[in-house]
Amino acid sequence: MVSFSTSEFKAGLKILIDGEPCVILEEEFNKPGKGQAFSKIKYRNLLSGKVVDKTCKVGETLKSADVEEIEMQFLYSDEQDWFFMNQTTFEQISIPLKVIDEQKDWIIEESICRVILWNQKPISITPPNFINLKVVETDPGVKGDTASGGNKPATLSNGKSVKVPLFVSEGETITVDTRTGEYQGRN
């Protein structure tokens, strides 16, 4: 198995810590005036989702996590599982709802998601950065409302509520950033 030394640490690197796959979010190298240099990393455990800090001495190594990241298309869901298709092999897999968790509101039919597999089992899913959703309920717009005039709440077709500009009305399709849940524009 491949190991990475502290000089190779960078954001996005997938490593094993305490036998569990993790991804480095931030890395900072410190060389104090006295004493040994060290790297401070902030990482996310891919199984639990917890974000943790760790200090590593220079020369320390961590094993690489044997994870595979695949783009898959969402097909359909039932009460317990969500079904995705590999875009290259057309193989279908089911992912339990507990793995999808809070991302489920941002996954719409036929969207392409990134699925992370560890030991051939899905452990994490990332929806597309931007999706288009229909506004099903909001206060009506009034003549003269402008883009810089303020915001109002709107309920979307997935049940989520977001703040939209005053000129957006019911029935319109808007673009939402799935990472922040914020309005990005209308189509």
Side-chain angles (χ1 to χ4, degrees):
M1 183 173 280
V2 177
S3 293
F4 297 107
S5 83
T6 52
S7 63
E8 298 172 301
F9 290 174
K10 61 182 178 184
L13 187 67
K14 295 180 178 64
I15 53 175
L16 281 178
I17 296 179
D18 298 328
E20 295 186 342
C22 302
V23 62
I24 295 176
L25 302 174
E26 296 175 13
E27 186 273 335
E28 180 183 333
F29 179 77
N30 290 309
K31 174 124 177 60
K34 289 184 175 181
Q36 187 177 10
F38 60 92
S39 280
K40 200 170 187 179
I41 61 171
K42 182 183 278 190
Y43 66 90
R44 174 180 288 120
N45 184 311
L46 292 173
L47 296 178
S48 68
K50 289 183 182 176
V51 176
V52 183
D53 290 325
K54 179 177 175 70
T55 302
C56 302
K57 296 177 185 172
V58 168
E60 190 175 330
T61 62
L62 294 173
K63 293 182 178 179
S64 82
D66 189 22
V67 295
E68 186 179 2
E69 197 167 328
I70 303 173
E71 287 199 347
M72 302 190 98
Q73 181 181 26
F74 172 61
L75 300 175
Y76 63 95
S77 66
D78 60 22
E79 283 136 28
Q80 298 152 352
D81 294 321
W82 289 50
F83 296 87
F84 291 81
M85 179 179 66
N86 186 321
Q87 291 295 97
T88 54
T89 65
F90 303 109
E91 175 186 350
Q92 293 183 23
I93 65 167
S94 64
I95 300 178
L97 184 58
K98 66 179 182 171
V99 172
I100 295 170
D101 203 24
E102 72 270 355
Q103 303 298 339
K104 69 179 182 186
D105 293 328
W106 303 118
I107 300 172
I108 57 175
E109 284 188 20
E110 298 183 10
S111 61
I112 306 296
C113 302
R114 284 192 328 269
V115 177
I116 296 178
L117 303 172
W118 186 51
N119 295 334
Q120 303 303 316
K121 290 187 178 184
I123 59 169
S124 173
I125 187 161
T126 306
N129 291 341
F130 301 98
I131 59 170
N132 297 323
L133 294 168
K134 191 173 191 173
V135 176
V136 294
E137 184 181 328
T138 190
D139 294 333
V142 179
K143 186 174 180 176
D145 286 345
T146 63
S148 61
N151 291 324
K152 62 182 178 179
T155 305
L156 305 176
S157 56
N158 66 350
K160 287 285 200 184
S161 181
V162 298
K163 296 272 185 197
V164 297
L166 297 172
F167 59 82
V168 174
S169 53
E170 283 184 25
E172 287 190 76
T173 302
I174 64 169
T175 301
V176 179
D177 186 334
T178 61
R179 298 164 293 188
T180 61
E182 294 178 356
Y183 168 86
Q184 293 298 306
R186 61 180 176 173
N187 298 0

